[in-house]
Amino acid sequence: MRGKILGLVGESGSGKTVTGFSILGLVEKPGRIEQGRILFNGSDLRRASPEELRDIRGNRISMIFQDPMMTLNPVLRIDTQMIETIRAHKKISYDDARVLARDALGKVGIPSPDERLAAYPHQFSGGMRQRVAIAIALLHKPELIIADEPTTALDVTIQAQILSEVQKLCREVGTALIWVTHDLSVVAAIADQICVMYAGRIVERGSTESVLDGPSHPYTNGLIHSVPGNNRPGTPLQQIPGVMPSLLSLPVGCSFRQRCRYADSMCMAEPEFNAVETNRDHIARCWHPLAEGRPA
Amino acid sequence: MKANLATTTDNRVRGDALIELVRVSRSFEKKRDVAVKIANTMGLGAKEEIVQAVDRVDLVVRKGEVVGLVGESGCGKSTLGRMVAGILPPSSGSIYYGGKSVSALNRAERRAAALAVQMIFQDPFASLNPRMRVKEIIAGAPLYHGLVRRSEVDQHVDLMMERVGLDKTYKRRYPHQFSGGQRQRIGIARALAVNPKLIVCDESVAALDVSIQAQVLNLFMKLRQDLDLTYLFISHDLGVVEHLADRVAIMYLGRIVEEATTAELFSKPNHPYTTALLKEVPRLDSRHREFQTIKGEIPSPINPPSGCHFHPRCPHAMSRCRLEQPKLMEVAPGRLSACHLNDGK
Ligand SMILES: Nc1ncnc2c1ncn2[C@@H]1O[C@H](COP(=O)(O)OP(=O)(O)OP(=O)(O)O)[C@@H](O)[C@H]1O
Ligand SMILES: Nc1ncnc2c1ncn2[C@@H]1O[C@H](COP(=O)(O)OP(=O)(O)OP(=O)(O)O)[C@@H](O)[C@H]1O
Ligand code: SF4
Ligand SMILES: [Mg+2]
Ligand SMILES: [Mg+2]
């Protein structure tokens, strides 16, 4: 997992953000984590005490949000924010903290970081603000970063800059990354592993290659084929009929059942994870997993 | 200057142009923020900021074609689209509808032109009145303009809902009772209800999920065939544009920098900005790729770089690029590009 990138893919409302939040124990009341364990370096985060969790949140896991202003305080200068963050977790002098902050800005590709330190968030463009937020997330060289759609609102050229910086950092610092997105192509470009979410559940997991080249769950298959770039220009796109059910009224059995063309009476029961025949690390939650595009 | 203008406009077949823009510009006065106002009252006299959102653009949309308009945030796509749709007047330049200058149309012609060009927006929710039932939303404009009789209105609404794949039994519902994709369909039905010829789609699928986006894109393609529609399709998503458009215009900071058929543009981009843009797009079939990023930020349209707007980020920039604006010129039949590199060839 160290230095690796996991792509968490799913459509709006599928539960990606909630998953990211639960890892950090940030789920708001009355929401709660119903079942299961969250393992971080082998220990269960759900059993961690509030103090332990805070330590982990601050020092070992960081989160980057879609809106960088979730991280940044609009009325404080960038240096104040960064230095405070550093000194809250580490006993070092103001000047040393400032040097660390400057280096962090440089690392995410902010030009003339020395001058930029004295700026306020509104003086940055959207892409720059997101990079500052990423710089803050990186301050403690966390072991894990959870990035929730941090480039969705950005332009392609700026997205590419951020993706390339993030890739470099993971390689150089050995930080593991969970990249949350609805964009399969972004995940294809950077992830080693992919998890596909549907209606609050992970329905498929495997290496990027095996999931994208040989999707097993009919939903993953449908998703891949809905991408315009995967269809010949001008031809009708393959589409998944219907819409995702609300998490509050999930159908019995497989939650993709009503949109799935392979659904039958078996699918009225809930499918468990099953390894895809050829590959034990590639698993899917489906009664009729696909092999080469059709049910095996 | 004149001669060049002739080569870029006269070569086009004016005959089948549905809409044509000639040197159309639009600028905005940027509202001063508080800081500037304070500076001014203190006598520091900061200048009024002018945004040149669209800068002398020539563009033809022919009957029956789909023209894709691509560019990054703030480059002026929506502003251009709103001028085409007649919602926003240009600051200068002329717009021709069916061969006639829009400013010279009489009242009846102007109204006909306004109905013939409809716009569909990005946010399906913000553009629908939450207090109106679907039926009223779709029937409003055709009733107001006397396109259908009261006695026929129900039938008309049913037909429109059928066309966009909405269940007719939902027509008494309110927008909030629909999903995002369904709301976008309501917006499409509303636009279709006045029998338009040209539809300006401004990021019309951007807010939708991939699986729903595919449904709506298929609907656009089907309607084009069934109703002989023409589209100006604005999007920052190159994959979507490649799939849908016959021709593509690339914008950068208020100017069109390249225009070509979709196949040519995607296989052999001419302008360095287009080339860079195509390289940056993540695609499903390119795994673990290294991004070769375009250096620098997208500059502000308030104070755009001199000469070629792209020169600070361009890997091929020469001293001339800083000084002189490259003209949008024909570099091959039907292909336009605005880059000084083409002069050397
Ligand atoms: N604080 C909350 N209270 C109640 N329900 C919530 C809350 N946050 C999220 N939900 C619900 O949980 C489900 C999953 O939401 P989540 O935000 O995780 O989706 P997502 O996959 O991140 O979607 P998006 O791509 O739109 O960000 C949704 O149905 C949402 O309405
Ligand atoms: N009504 C307005 N008042 C002032 N400035 C405006 C107005 N409308 C647009 N602008 C400015 O004009 C420029 C072009 O805006 P426009 O909305 O056309 O860009 P766009 O290409 O559609 O961007 P996006 O992809 O973000 O929608 C921007 O700098 C914008 O701030
Ligand atoms: S004109 Fe010059 S700066 Fe502009 S794109 Fe061409 S080479 Fe680059
Ligand atoms: Mg989310
Ligand atoms: Mg716009």
Side-chain angles (χ1 to χ4, degrees):
Chain A
M1 203 30 195
R2 297 208 66 216
K4 293 276 186 204
I5 302 181
L6 169 75
L8 184 61
V9 196
E11 298 186 273
S12 181
S14 61
K16 306 182 298 292
T17 300
V18 168
T19 304
F21 279 174
S22 17
I23 295 177
L24 287 188
L26 289 179
V27 175
E28 282 169 40
K29 286 185 179 145
R32 63 200 176 94
I33 303 169
E34 291 277 343
Q35 274 178 14
R37 296 177 302 160
I38 302 166
L39 297 179
F40 177 65
N41 275 347
S43 58
D44 188 349
L45 291 188
R46 283 194 61 206
R47 301 235 181 107
S49 67
E51 294 79 58
E52 281 169 327
L53 251 187
R54 215 185 48 173
D55 166 64
I56 289 174
R57 269 209 299 267
N59 292 327
R60 300 170 63 192
I61 306 183
S62 311
M63 186 139 183
I64 308 171
F65 304 93
Q66 175 166 354
D67 180 359
M69 295 314 283
M70 296 262 297
T71 311
L72 302 174
N73 184 334
V75 300
L76 290 181
R77 278 170 31 173
I78 299 295
D79 54 359
T80 319
Q81 304 194 35
M82 293 184 82
I83 290 165
E84 266 176 17
T85 312
I86 297 173
R87 302 227 295 163
H89 292 281
K90 212 171 181 180
K91 304 248 163 317
I92 59 172
S93 75
Y94 183 91
D95 288 342
D96 289 347
R98 199 182 153 87
V99 172
L100 282 185
R102 187 197 58 203
D103 292 349
L105 285 188
K107 247 196 225 120
V108 294
I110 299 222
S112 36
D114 260 321
E115 295 152 39
R116 290 303 194 155
L117 270 178
Y120 289 89
H122 76 263
Q123 294 169 308
F124 289 87
S125 71
M128 295 260 251
R129 244 179 257 157
Q130 190 58 275
R131 273 184 266 182
V132 174
I134 292 175
I136 292 179
L138 292 172
L139 278 175
H140 307 289
K141 300 207 173 46
E143 290 155 56
L144 173 65
I145 296 180
I146 302 167
D148 190 1
E149 315 232 24
T151 58
T152 303
L154 304 177
D155 282 314
V156 223
T157 60
I158 306 303
Q159 165 171 293
Q161 283 176 351
I162 290 184
L163 290 177
S164 89
E165 277 146 21
V166 162
Q167 274 176 322
K168 235 188 336 187
L169 285 162
C170 287
R171 213 176 306 127
E172 286 166 7
V173 187
T175 301
L177 178 71
I178 299 180
W179 191 275
V180 177
T181 179
H182 66 274
D183 190 339
L184 276 174
S185 335
V186 168
V187 157
I190 63 165
D192 304 293
Q193 286 262 319
I194 293 186
C195 283
V196 180
M197 285 200 82
Y198 185 78
R201 285 257 165 81
I202 291 182
V203 295
E204 181 156 6
R205 197 185 81 205
S207 74
T208 303
E209 276 72 24
S210 56
V211 172
L212 292 183
D213 296 337
S216 173
H217 198 285
Y219 173 66
T220 314
N221 189 54
L223 208 55
I224 292 173
H225 287 96
S226 319
V227 175
N230 258 8
N231 288 263
R232 227 159 43 83
T235 59
L237 298 164
Q238 295 187 36
Q239 58 185 54
I240 307 175
V243 295
M244 192 165 59
S246 148
L247 296 193
L248 299 176
S249 57
L250 287 178
V252 203
C254 170
S255 40
F256 187 57
R257 183 164 63 80
Q258 294 148 325
R259 302 175 74 187
C260 181
R261 67 167 124 154
Y262 308 111
D264 62 11
S265 54
M266 257 174 110
C267 309
M268 300 293 288
E270 209 177 299
E272 288 300 314
F273 271 126
N274 272 308
V276 174
E277 238 170 88
T278 47
N279 180 348
R280 287 176 43 84
D281 297 327
H282 182 178
I283 53 175
R285 211 191 271 275
C286 171
W287 289 114
H288 306 293
L290 308 179
E292 277 150 35
R294 33 180 64 101
Chain B
M1 199 71 178
K2 271 243 163 66
N4 179 60
L5 184 64
T7 57
T8 56
T9 55
D10 286 352
N11 279 351
R12 295 172 182 166
V13 195
R14 274 183 192 262
D16 62 355
L18 187 58
I19 208 153
E20 176 165 5
L21 313 189
V22 178
R23 292 178 75 74
V24 165
S25 299
R26 173 73 209 200
S27 51
F28 295 104
E29 260 171 39
K30 195 95 188 167
K31 281 207 194 82
R32 291 180 215 175
D33 62 14
V34 185
V36 177
K37 277 190 189 137
I38 293 171
N40 275 348
T41 53
M42 286 160 58
L44 298 174
K47 259 201 298 198
E48 195 71 74
E49 287 181 326
I50 305 272
V51 184
Q52 190 72 39
V54 172
D55 184 11
R56 288 162 293 168
V57 162
D58 295 325
L59 184 71
V60 176
V61 181
R62 300 193 192 90
K63 281 198 190 88
E65 73 174 343
V66 179
V67 175
L69 184 63
V70 178
E72 295 184 279
S73 185
C75 73
K77 304 182 294 297
S78 297
T79 306
L80 189 62
R82 285 159 68 209
M83 291 193 289
V84 168
I87 315 175
L88 182 78
S91 324
S92 68
S94 349
I95 299 180
Y96 295 87
Y97 178 76
K100 272 184 152 179
S101 168
V102 171
S103 55
L105 297 178
N106 66 34
R107 255 182 75 183
E109 288 172 324
R110 187 167 301 190
R111 210 191 65 172
L115 288 177
V117 188
Q118 291 294 312
M119 191 151 176
I120 298 171
F121 300 91
Q122 164 166 1
D123 185 346
F125 206 47
S127 60
L128 300 174
N129 184 336
R131 286 199 202 83
M132 278 162 78
R133 296 177 195 275
V134 171
K135 182 186 152 179
E136 295 153 357
I137 291 175
I138 297 174
L143 269 182
Y144 178 82
H145 293 284
L147 301 177
V148 292
R149 279 193 226 129
R150 280 224 169 257
S151 57
E152 298 164 346
V153 106
D154 260 322
Q155 221 181 332
H156 189 64
V157 170
D158 288 355
L159 178 66
M160 293 307 137
M161 291 186 71
E162 215 166 282
R163 259 191 196 143
V164 300
L166 282 171
D167 190 337
K168 287 185 288 205
T169 58
Y170 288 171
K171 65 182 167 189
R172 296 186 51 78
R173 292 199 180 179
Y174 293 95
H176 71 89
Q177 292 171 297
F178 292 89
S179 72
Q182 287 175 320
R183 279 180 217 144
Q184 197 54 287
R185 285 171 199 263
I186 300 173
I188 298 169
R190 176 179 58 181
L192 291 178
V194 295
N195 302 320
K197 296 199 166 61
L198 170 67
I199 296 192
V200 179
C201 299
D202 190 1
E203 304 279 7
S204 304
V205 294
L208 305 176
D209 273 318
V210 201
S211 74
I212 307 302
Q213 178 179 312
Q215 296 173 1
V216 175
L217 289 176
N218 283 345
L219 174 62
F220 278 133
M221 286 190 279
K222 178 169 179 300
L223 292 172
R224 175 192 187 186
Q225 269 181 350
D226 294 354
L227 305 175
D228 219 3
L229 287 174
T230 305
Y231 292 107
L232 177 61
F233 201 89
I234 300 176
S235 178
H236 67 277
D237 186 332
L238 284 155
V240 167
V241 167
E242 180 178 20
H243 193 78
L244 219 66
D246 303 310
R247 230 150 39 84
V248 180
I250 307 276
M251 270 186 102
Y252 190 74
L253 280 185
R255 297 175 183 163
I256 289 183
V257 296
E258 179 159 9
E259 207 182 305
T261 62
T262 309
E264 281 180 348
L265 188 117
F266 279 85
S267 58
K268 292 183 299 250
N270 175 283
H271 198 281
Y273 175 62
T274 314
T275 311
L277 204 57
L278 290 182
K279 253 205 312 219
E280 305 288 7
V281 179
R283 301 185 84 101
L284 265 186
D285 47 14
S286 56
R287 310 283 158 70
H288 302 292
R289 49 167 296 195
E290 296 294 318
F291 288 91
Q292 306 282 317
T293 61
I294 307 184
K295 59 185 178 188
E297 293 285 312
I298 303 167
S300 148
I302 293 170
N303 199 356
S306 61
C308 171
H309 286 343
F310 189 54
H311 85 257
R313 305 174 76 192
C314 179
H316 310 290
M318 317 165 273
S319 53
R320 180 181 177 197
C321 306
R322 213 168 358 101
L323 304 170
E324 191 185 330
Q325 175 188 346
K327 307 209 164 67
L328 187 64
M329 286 190 306
E330 199 153 47
V331 291
R335 287 206 68 165
L336 306 174
S337 176
C339 170
H340 289 312
L341 289 175
N342 290 310
D343 276 2
K345 285 181 191 152

